[in-house]
Amino acid sequence: MSRLLIVANRLPIAVSRVEGKIHVERSPGGLATGLSGPHSKSDALWIGWPGDVQDLTDDEHAALERRLDELRAVPVWIPPDDLREFYEGFSNGALWPLFHHLLDQMPLRVQGWDAYERANRRFADEVCRHYNDGDLIWVHDYQLMLLPQMLRDRLPEARIGFFLHIPFPASELFRTIAHRERLLEGVLGADLVGFHTAGYMRSFASSLLRVLGIPSNVDRVYHDQREVRLGVFPMGVDTDKFAKLAESDEVQARVRELRGMDDCAMILGIDRLDYTKGIRRRLLAYEKFLYDHPEMHGRVRMTQVAVPSRTSVEAYQDFRSQVEASIGRINGAFSTPEWAPIHYLYRGVDEVELSALYRAADVILVTPVRDGMNLVAKEFVASRTDDGGVLVLSEFAGAASELAEAVMMNPFDVDRTSEIIHRALTLPADERLARMRALRRRVLSYDVHHWVRSYLESLEEATDRSDPSAFAPTPPARLERLCDEMRSADDLLLVLGYDGTLVPFASAPELSKPDEDLLVLLRRLAARPRTEIHVVSGSSRDVIEQRFGEIPIHLHAEYGFWERAKGAVVWEGGDVPVQEWRDQVLQILENFTARTPGSLIEEKTVSVAWHYRMAEPEFGAFQANELTLHLSQLLSNEPVEIVTDDKLIEVRQTGVDKGIVVPRLLAQSPPGVFVVAMGDDRNDEELFAALAGQGTTIHVGGGTSMADVRVPNIDAARRLLASLVD
Ligand code: ADQ
């Protein structure tokens, strides 16, 4: 097993000053428990912020570092001003509400980006300082979204995982955040990006498409000549620990005390005091339940435990006041001298008390408006070794995608929630038992250790570098050798693609004009002795002529069906066959174009193309799928091929592809000519196939290719060509 570097915003320890002395303790959070196994093994390190430990003397600082070192914890020190902006500003002030779909909690002006970037850089420095070859790096959560790419830049070969503990927002909302491109690119520095649910993974993929234009293939993304895997890993809890605790004498005694206070049924709420947890609507629903069911007064009580959280953030202070006002109003309206409808505890409770509460409750209300997973729901189930209790669970918690046997609720529907509270309290015993048994089977089989194992196994698999992937860039030495061979060849034949190879894709074919630098480069190459240049494009003759008409090179339009030799003025081509299919195809394409805003039709002599680069990406892809199906049925007996390419569907005369230029070019060339073909898409693969064994092929950009050599992008392709004339 490789050494693991865990990188999270917080270290799994709590530093405090007790009677003037600095005290360091392990803190028992869910992540800390889950990772304690791997952290204690194989020299693993945990890198993170040690907490707010100000006013340390130099001696105390040194002693703290020594103690942390013993615990294999590496502190990342962040200056207080930066910390506020990084943590309270950008992370919790902007990313937290946005990712939870709570736009009303977003500040008018998002601040703290620079501090966010600086803090991520400090983490990167610490990771690089401790990194050894072969380590696995596992980065956690929204505070560190830039870190994977920062590490990738400095440690290109490192094996890096990223896990997001909170939801990923719908792309429509994600698009609203400043620096959205940097955040996505930051995460894509990882080899494996993990989410709690398939929904979050889909939202992430959708944002990649809309914000960066990067498509994904279900669980794979190709970016920057690397494959990035996406995966779903629902986090579990330490079920053994919760079961043992719940069965312990101490907890059982405490449960008897809690249950023995009176005959009230107990409704439990346990949350960090956070506006995402749905506490205010839960209280409103409980209030309505008390109005609607006077017979329940004195027979039921809600115990709401709220752990103080992010207390220096204003939104959290306001939220606390609102929660406490609601509780005050409800208790004021319904309490009697013997009974109060709500017990409210504003503090954390220790694990014995937590376990006793889980065990004593008749019903637990887990009602977040949105929550990455929600471990409280799973801890409750893990504690119910007696198969008792009812879990009421929000559809908007990540846990809902696994725990289907809970009593599900929509936290935004207060009236219905109030009915659900009544239903949960009066659920028939057999149904209650059946639900809890099913929930327990699920929660016990996917505990936190399973989560850690399955994530790390996937990370090992995603980063197995023993099988050099088809996406690896060609080593510089190989490229250098190719340049030498080209430079020293007696005769050189360059066969070049255009869109995506020499210039970026434009929104419509006629808009992809060559820039001045490219024209100069082509002129210089054309002037090189014993060098012939052929540009082979899918575009029509007019378009190609407009682009390159003035340059002394050979032009091929419509995948080589038409050719204009160097210096010639007319195009030569084969006979254009009768195309009985054309009118019918055009009619269908017009229909799709009308229904797909942003799409357009391009008519050529041997083909008709439908472009959807400007359409809304997901709808465009959906329509393209429909269109392909439709066309394949319609044209099954026609002499055409349906070619799908980057944001393009083309119906093309059979037998026309870029491969047809190869025999012609070789026949015109002197014997022993050194042929180099360069391209980026599926049409160029036809060219490469026809050239196999007779020349060297170069693929530009990501994705799979049969080419001999790969360069990462258009700039690199141009640099390679420029090296022939510099
Ligand atoms: P949180 O928002 O903190 O976590 P949650 O998953 O419910 O939410 O975890 C809370 C933890 O705090 C639980 O382990 C619980 O036992 C503990 N806790 C809650 N109330 C307590 C109390 N009063 N006293 C003591 N302990 C208490 C983020 C995401 C979640 C995601 C987790 C893990 O927001 O959606 O499930 O990370 O990925």
Side-chain angles (χ1 to χ4, degrees):
M1 179 85 184
S2 326
R3 186 175 82 139
L4 181 64
L5 304 185
I6 301 159
V7 195
N9 180 46
R10 287 295 306 257
L11 285 176
I13 49 138
V15 184
S16 55
R17 199 182 275 279
V18 184
E19 293 170 2
K21 284 221 174 84
I22 294 297
H23 212 72
V24 177
E25 267 179 333
R26 287 189 178 278
S27 68
L31 188 62
T33 315
L35 291 170
S36 61
H39 184 204
S40 62
K41 267 191 242 145
S42 61
D43 307 329
L45 292 180
W46 190 309
I47 300 171
W49 178 61
D52 201 3
V53 273
Q54 290 177 13
D55 309 324
L56 291 183
T57 63
D58 288 350
D59 284 351
E60 282 174 337
H61 198 280
L64 176 58
E65 293 236 359
R66 272 198 305 280
R67 178 74 186 111
L68 291 178
D69 192 47
E70 286 163 15
L71 296 170
R72 280 199 261 112
V74 176
V76 181
W77 300 105
I78 300 175
D81 282 354
D82 262 10
L83 188 70
R84 205 167 29 253
E85 286 190 34
F86 152 65
Y87 188 60
E88 292 171 17
F90 198 76
S91 301
N92 289 334
L95 292 179
W96 178 268
L98 178 67
F99 280 36
H100 287 89
H101 287 182
L102 294 169
L103 287 189
D104 56 333
Q105 300 285 350
M106 291 283 286
L108 286 180
R109 178 165 162 238
V110 170
Q111 285 178 308
W113 170 257
D114 292 345
Y116 184 82
E117 203 178 358
R118 278 196 297 275
N120 273 253
R121 211 166 287 290
R122 279 178 187 269
F123 275 84
D125 291 343
E126 267 333 304
V127 175
C128 290
R129 214 155 66 80
H130 290 88
Y131 177 79
N132 294 332
D133 281 348
D135 288 350
L136 277 184
I137 305 173
W138 190 5
V139 179
H140 292 265
D141 230 359
Y142 62 103
Q143 302 93 348
L144 299 176
M145 289 177 76
L146 300 179
L147 183 56
Q149 186 57 44
M150 287 178 174
L151 293 173
R152 180 67 58 207
D153 290 341
R154 292 163 68 172
L155 307 167
E157 290 304 313
R159 303 189 293 161
I160 306 171
F162 178 81
F163 189 85
L164 184 71
H165 287 266
I166 65 175
F168 195 89
S171 63
E172 282 301 297
L173 295 184
F174 180 76
R175 275 169 49 181
T176 61
I177 188 110
H179 310 288
R180 55 204 183 172
E181 295 86 359
R182 289 284 314 281
L183 291 167
L184 292 176
E185 282 162 357
V187 170
L188 287 183
D191 293 291
L192 173 66
V193 183
F195 303 90
H196 283 304
T197 74
Y200 307 155
M201 180 171 111
R202 273 199 302 275
S203 296
F204 179 74
S206 168
S207 286
L208 288 181
L209 184 64
R210 282 144 196 272
V211 176
L212 296 179
I214 300 178
S216 50
N217 184 357
V218 190
D219 62 348
R220 272 150 222 245
V221 177
Y222 305 105
H223 171 61
D224 214 6
Q225 289 215 303
R226 290 172 39 246
E227 180 183 273
V228 181
R229 298 229 187 146
L230 311 180
V232 178
F233 307 90
M235 186 171 169
V237 297
D238 190 345
T239 50
D240 268 357
K241 182 186 111 179
F242 280 96
K244 284 203 186 96
L245 247 175
E247 295 283 316
S248 70
D249 293 343
E250 212 180 349
V251 167
Q252 289 295 326
R254 181 66 184 137
V255 172
R256 280 192 295 277
E257 268 172 35
L258 289 170
R259 301 255 22 157
M261 292 189 306
D262 50 32
D263 291 334
C264 281
M266 177 179 179
I267 299 176
L268 180 63
I270 290 209
D271 316 81
R272 262 189 322 100
L273 192 61
D274 193 295
Y275 52 73
T276 59
K277 301 289 180 185
I279 303 172
R280 289 185 64 200
R281 287 194 177 87
R282 180 190 310 165
L283 290 169
L284 282 179
Y286 183 55
E287 186 174 22
K288 179 166 189 322
F289 160 84
L290 292 172
Y291 273 116
D292 291 350
H293 296 281
E295 78 283 4
M296 297 300 250
H297 295 189
R299 293 176 51 208
V300 64
R301 175 185 307 110
M302 176 186 277
T303 300
Q304 175 65 53
V305 186
V307 196
S309 179
R310 305 177 191 171
T311 45
S312 51
V313 179
E314 201 182 308
Y316 285 74
Q317 293 159 5
D318 294 346
F319 180 65
R320 178 183 173 193
S321 314
Q322 289 156 349
V323 166
E324 293 183 353
S326 301
I327 292 173
R329 187 183 64 238
I330 297 168
N331 274 343
F334 296 101
S335 289
T336 62
E338 297 78 33
W339 172 75
I342 306 180
H343 272 179
Y344 172 60
L345 287 76
Y346 177 63
R347 58 174 174 275
V349 291
D350 64 22
E351 45 177 44
V352 169
E353 187 73 357
L354 183 71
S355 169
L357 286 167
Y358 283 148
R359 200 51 191 256
D362 294 285
V363 171
I364 187 166
L365 298 180
V366 179
T367 63
V369 289
R370 194 162 154 87
D371 208 338
M373 170 53 70
N374 195 295
L375 298 179
V376 166
K378 291 187 171 181
E379 291 171 4
F380 174 71
V381 173
S383 305
R384 297 313 295 244
T385 48
D386 60 344
D387 290 337
V390 177
L391 169 63
V392 175
L393 180 61
S394 161
E395 290 165 27
F396 300 100
S401 60
E402 290 172 85
L403 305 183
E405 293 83 1
V407 175
M408 291 294 175
M409 53 82 71
N410 169 5
F412 296 92
D413 187 344
V414 170
D415 291 355
R416 183 95 180 86
T417 305
S418 137
E419 288 165 24
I420 286 175
I421 292 176
H422 185 254
R423 173 154 175 252
L425 284 167
T426 54
L427 209 61
D430 54 345
E431 182 180 344
R432 197 176 60 214
L433 194 69
R435 282 178 185 268
M436 184 48 76
R437 284 192 174 147
L439 287 171
R440 284 185 54 75
R441 274 196 296 277
R442 285 179 193 275
V443 169
L444 296 190
S445 33
Y446 298 103
D447 67 0
V448 71
H449 305 296
H450 177 97
W451 175 72
V452 171
R453 247 190 341 266
S454 75
Y455 185 87
L456 290 178
E457 276 167 18
S458 298
L459 181 57
E460 294 259 10
E461 196 190 303
T463 55
D464 179 3
R465 313 263 197 248
S466 62
D467 171 24
S469 89
F471 311 98
T474 303
R478 169 77 182 91
L479 281 180
E480 203 37 57
R481 204 168 68 235
L482 174 61
C483 288
D484 285 345
E485 285 167 346
M486 288 162 82
R487 275 191 288 260
S488 56
D490 289 337
D491 290 286
L492 180 63
L493 178 65
L494 294 175
V495 189
L496 308 174
Y498 179 65
D499 287 296
T501 303
L502 297 178
V503 295
F505 282 103
S507 39
E510 61 276 16
L511 297 179
S512 85
K513 294 219 172 66
D515 51 276
E516 200 47 40
D517 285 351
L518 177 61
L519 293 175
V520 170
L521 174 62
L522 289 176
R523 278 208 182 85
R524 293 180 66 202
L525 284 169
R528 196 174 179 273
R530 303 184 73 99
T531 305
E532 295 297 329
I533 318 246
H534 293 256
V535 169
V536 186
S537 164
S539 297
S540 66
R541 285 167 292 173
D542 293 351
V543 170
I544 311 246
E545 209 156 54
Q546 273 166 24
R547 291 172 186 162
F548 301 113
E550 305 299 313
I551 303 178
I553 56 177
H554 305 264
L555 301 178
H556 303 260
E558 300 198 25
Y559 312 97
F561 185 82
W562 298 103
E563 176 177 4
R564 204 194 81 170
K566 183 167 73 177
V569 283
V570 289
W571 288 85
E572 312 233 357
D575 296 330
V576 180
V578 179
Q579 297 167 348
E580 281 164 357
W581 48 269
R582 184 174 278 261
D583 286 347
Q584 215 175 352
V585 168
L586 274 174
Q587 212 176 1
I588 294 170
L589 294 192
E590 271 154 21
N591 183 324
F592 268 78
T593 307
R595 291 192 287 123
T596 316
S599 65
L600 56 94
I601 300 171
E602 185 191 12
E603 278 207 67
K604 298 183 256 187
T605 38
V606 289
S607 67
V608 186
W610 186 69
H611 294 260
Y612 59 98
R613 183 167 302 280
M614 293 285 279
E616 195 281 328
E618 275 154 4
F619 185 60
F622 173 78
Q623 291 288 76
N625 234 338
E626 293 283 295
L627 177 58
T628 315
L629 277 176
H630 201 66
L631 291 172
S632 341
Q633 279 166 4
L634 181 81
L635 301 171
S636 55
N637 293 321
E638 298 289 343
V640 292
E641 281 174 276
I642 299 163
V643 185
T644 54
D645 213 330
D646 194 3
K647 305 281 191 273
L648 168 80
I649 292 175
E650 188 156 24
V651 179
R652 193 192 298 167
Q653 193 67 45
T654 312
V656 179
D657 65 57
K658 285 191 180 181
I660 61 177
V661 300
V662 171
R664 264 184 351 234
L665 298 188
L666 292 176
Q668 294 163 10
S669 305
V673 63
F674 192 75
V675 186
V676 175
M678 196 182 248
D680 67 287
D681 64 12
R682 281 180 45 182
N683 293 305
D684 298 309
E685 293 296 309
E686 309 273 9
L687 174 67
F688 296 167
L691 200 58
Q694 307 177 85
T696 305
T697 52
I698 305 175
H699 174 76
V700 181
T704 46
S705 170
M706 64 180 297
D708 305 311
V709 165
R710 309 172 64 93
V711 294
N713 49 38
I714 291 167
D715 285 347
R718 288 193 188 191
R719 272 200 305 278
L720 191 140
L721 293 174
S723 73
L724 298 175
V725 285
D726 282 344

